[in-house]
Amino acid sequence: MIVYQNVTKYYGNNIGIENVNIHINKGDFVFLVGPSGAGKSTFIKLLLKELNADSGSIKMNDMEITNLSNRLIPKLRRSTGIVFQDFRLLPKKTVFENVAFAMEIIHMSSRTIRRQVPQVLSLVGISSKADKYPHELSAGEQQRVAIARAIVNNPAVLIADEPTGNLDPETAWDIMRLLDKINRRGTTILMVTHAKDIVDRMGKRVVAIEKGRIVRDDAEGAYGIND
Amino acid sequence: MIRSIGYAIKQAVTQVFRNRTMTIASMFSITAMLLILGLFFILVVNVNLASENVKKQFDSIQLYLLETTDKNTAQGMIDSLNSMPEVNEAIYVDKDTAMQEFRNSWGNKAYLLDGVDPNPLPNSIKITVSNLEDADLVVEVAKTFQGVEDIKYYQTEVNQVLKITDYIQVGALVIIVFLIFVSVVVVSNTVKLTVLAREREISIMKYIGATNWFIRGPFLAEGMLIGCFSAILSAGLISFIYYKICELFSLRALALLSTSLVPLNFLIWNLVWIFISLGVCIGAFGSIVSMRRFLDT
């Protein structure tokens, strides 16, 4: 599914990530943890081809990403759902339109869009807010919309970059339950987080990065003792 | 493809209405440019028409005949003139007809001529040349005729007028090209503001996997739509202004410059097409220019 082989990325003289090797299987739920500046964001940005690796190979669904041409970047990003800490919803579009947009860019017919968007909105539990604009929603609701947008095209991988970072603990747990539900449907989830209690209680695979290197990879791990 | 175009147009229409302030701001700047452009266009077209008229009116040579020259001699001159390929037409104008024409040109003040008796105007031959440049040649021939008192023609004057109109036309064209350039800059700056306001939106679109053309499409359509609206608005305004100008100056222009203004209908339809194509191009070009920076991966 996702394979990093000896991947290195430097920012001038500073280490982004160094010699990273990892293998993530289809259907995995992986927490990527570590202190700020450890290289978690670099890890994700390389996967989305927002940055180019200095050396090594990154494969997703057998597609080599390191030498992907600019023209194919949109295709790569479409096969990946992305959720951010700050939601990144389109402010001038309604909930329905935000989710529909992800389908419009892959040229789905409006009939398919009208059928599929309500299903996804119902899956994430915000059917009743379809006509609202993002600023009319609570943080938790906005994150649900973002998740709906990320999964509406049935991506194989869902990348969540601190999806609970802006949420209160209770709402954070709602979101985690939702992500778990999506994972059970077969979507691989790669989640960057600082939320110790969440990582500890979920009991999923934990990959810890420090100073650009993978220092721990536990199949059913915890956040870590020192953090 | 068709679905994408449809999507872009639908999005553009929505955006135009949602971002009303920006739409109006852009529309005003394009409309202002097109208005100035239109006024110069009207100037060029009218100067063109005036110079054509001047050419037509003054491409004639007058031969004033002596009192002693009889009609038969005059007819001989006319025949030999008409046989020249450079001459379009040579006609005899007797002194009474000349007086009548003179009276007509004085209009309602013609009564002042009532006291002029006997008629002081001579009989004459009016020669129209096919080509103004050949006037000299015809004059040389006319000089050889016996019984001619004086020869009048306006080649130098006409050439001067034509030279001036040439300068006006070239000048106006330079200004028009300059204005088009300025409007592209103004529009691309205005669109850049809209794009800037939506930079975050564009980055989100790219994250979700939208292609550059998919992102550009609605902005492009938006620019073209704004350009089109502005074109219609400015064409309407120009028509109104020109209608007023015609109403006020048509007669005066005829009296002063012995030329009429280009008819409103002819001008408007040309202007509408020119403006719409220009507006749409300015809008499209402005959008593309202003988005370049935001679409680098």
Side-chain angles (χ1 to χ4, degrees), chain B residues 50-252:
Chain B
S51 75
E52 286 303 317
N53 278 341
V54 166
K55 259 193 229 169
K56 246 183 238 151
Q57 264 171 19
F58 295 99
D59 61 354
S60 63
I61 302 165
Q62 306 273 349
L63 301 190
Y64 295 112
L65 306 175
L66 291 168
E67 279 295 311
T68 51
T69 313
D70 62 18
K71 189 141 187 209
N72 279 341
T73 323
Q75 192 57 48
M77 294 177 194
I78 288 171
D79 290 344
S80 62
L81 283 169
N82 272 335
S83 66
M84 291 177 71
E86 291 85 2
V87 173
N88 191 24
E89 191 186 29
I91 50 167
Y92 183 76
V93 182
D94 68 32
K95 58 195 306 181
D96 295 333
T97 317
M99 188 48 151
Q100 195 51 50
E101 277 176 10
F102 195 45
R103 289 181 74 99
N104 287 346
S105 72
W106 279 48
N108 55 10
K109 294 201 172 70
Y111 67 90
L112 293 171
L113 295 169
D114 285 351
V116 184
D117 197 47
N119 180 358
L121 298 176
N123 294 321
S124 64
I125 294 172
K126 189 179 171 191
I127 309 161
T128 327
V129 289
S130 326
N131 200 336
L132 202 63
E133 281 77 50
D134 298 329
D136 276 331
L137 206 77
V138 179
V139 169
E140 286 308 310
V141 173
K143 274 182 184 163
T144 63
F145 294 154
Q146 298 293 317
V148 176
E149 188 183 18
D150 196 8
I151 301 173
K152 275 225 164 15
Y153 76 118
Y154 305 95
Q155 197 190 11
T156 330
E157 290 80 356
V158 170
N159 278 342
Q160 260 168 1
V161 171
L162 292 185
K163 210 176 266 174
I164 293 169
T165 58
D166 271 356
Y167 284 140
I168 294 178
Q169 283 179 7
V170 171
L173 281 179
V174 168
I175 293 170
I176 285 177
V177 170
F178 180 71
L179 281 175
I180 292 175
F181 174 74
V182 171
S183 20
V184 169
V185 172
V186 169
V187 172
S188 73
N189 273 328
T190 324
V191 178
K192 200 175 274 174
L193 283 179
T194 22
V195 177
L196 209 62
R198 288 160 66 187
E199 198 177 358
R200 194 177 144 78
E201 212 173 317
I202 292 172
S203 84
I204 296 171
M205 290 180 186
K206 295 189 73 168
Y207 262 116
I208 306 174
T211 58
N212 281 351
W213 270 109
F214 190 86
I215 297 172
R216 206 181 274 136
F219 284 100
L220 193 65
E222 189 179 336
M224 289 162 87
L225 210 62
I226 290 174
C228 195
F229 283 158
S230 319
I232 294 168
L233 185 65
S234 42
L237 280 171
I238 285 275
S239 314
F240 178 73
I241 293 170
Y242 193 60
Y243 172 74
K244 283 288 166 197
I245 290 178
C246 285
E247 218 175 48
L248 282 173
F249 292 108
S250 211
L251 285 173
R252 251 176 259 181

Side-chain angles (χ1 to χ4, degrees), chain B residues 260-272:
Chain B
S260 56
L261 294 170
V262 175
L264 188 67
N265 280 344
F266 166 81
L267 198 89
I268 295 314
W269 287 115
N270 280 308
L271 213 61
V272 165

Side-chain angles (χ1 to χ4, degrees), chain A residues 15-111:
Chain A
I15 299 172
I17 58 174
E18 199 176 34
N19 247 328
V20 166
N21 286 287
I22 193 170
H23 195 108
I24 296 171
N25 291 317
K26 185 170 164 38
D28 274 4
F29 194 127
V30 179
F31 284 116
L32 200 58
V33 301
S36 298
K40 304 187 299 290
S41 294
T42 308
F43 186 94
I44 299 289
K45 284 179 177 172
L46 288 169
L47 191 58
L48 294 170
K49 186 81 175 165
E50 210 180 316
L51 291 173
N52 292 317
D54 296 334
S55 63
S57 142
I58 303 172
K59 278 187 182 159
M60 175 148 57
N61 295 328
D62 294 327
M63 174 163 50
E64 178 59 55
I65 293 170
T66 45
N67 55 15
L68 199 68
S69 76
N70 281 354
R71 204 167 45 84
L72 289 173
I73 294 176
K75 200 176 162 226
L76 166 75
R77 294 185 181 164
R78 286 170 197 181
S79 64
T80 321
I82 311 167
V83 178
F84 300 96
Q85 179 175 10
D86 55 355
F87 324 131
R88 303 204 188 169
L89 298 173
L90 299 169
K92 285 177 182 166
K93 289 185 188 288
T94 64
V95 167
F96 185 96
E97 288 166 344
N98 261 284
V99 179
F101 182 73
M103 299 185 76
E104 280 159 355
I105 62 174
I106 56 167
H107 311 300
M108 289 300 214
S109 72
S110 49
R111 205 199 310 161

Side-chain angles (χ1 to χ4, degrees), chain A residues 114-161:
Chain A
R114 277 197 304 272
R115 192 185 60 230
Q116 218 150 307
V117 174
Q119 283 174 8
V120 176
L121 290 181
S122 136
L123 177 73
V124 301
I126 39 165
S127 297
S128 58
K129 312 274 179 172
D131 296 328
K132 300 274 190 222
Y133 286 91
H135 66 89
E136 297 174 299
L137 304 178
S138 71
E141 287 166 336
Q142 289 189 50
Q143 194 58 292
R144 283 167 188 275
V145 179
I147 293 172
R149 180 181 65 190
I151 61 168
V152 71
N153 291 326
N154 285 316
V157 183
L158 177 64
I159 296 170
D161 192 356

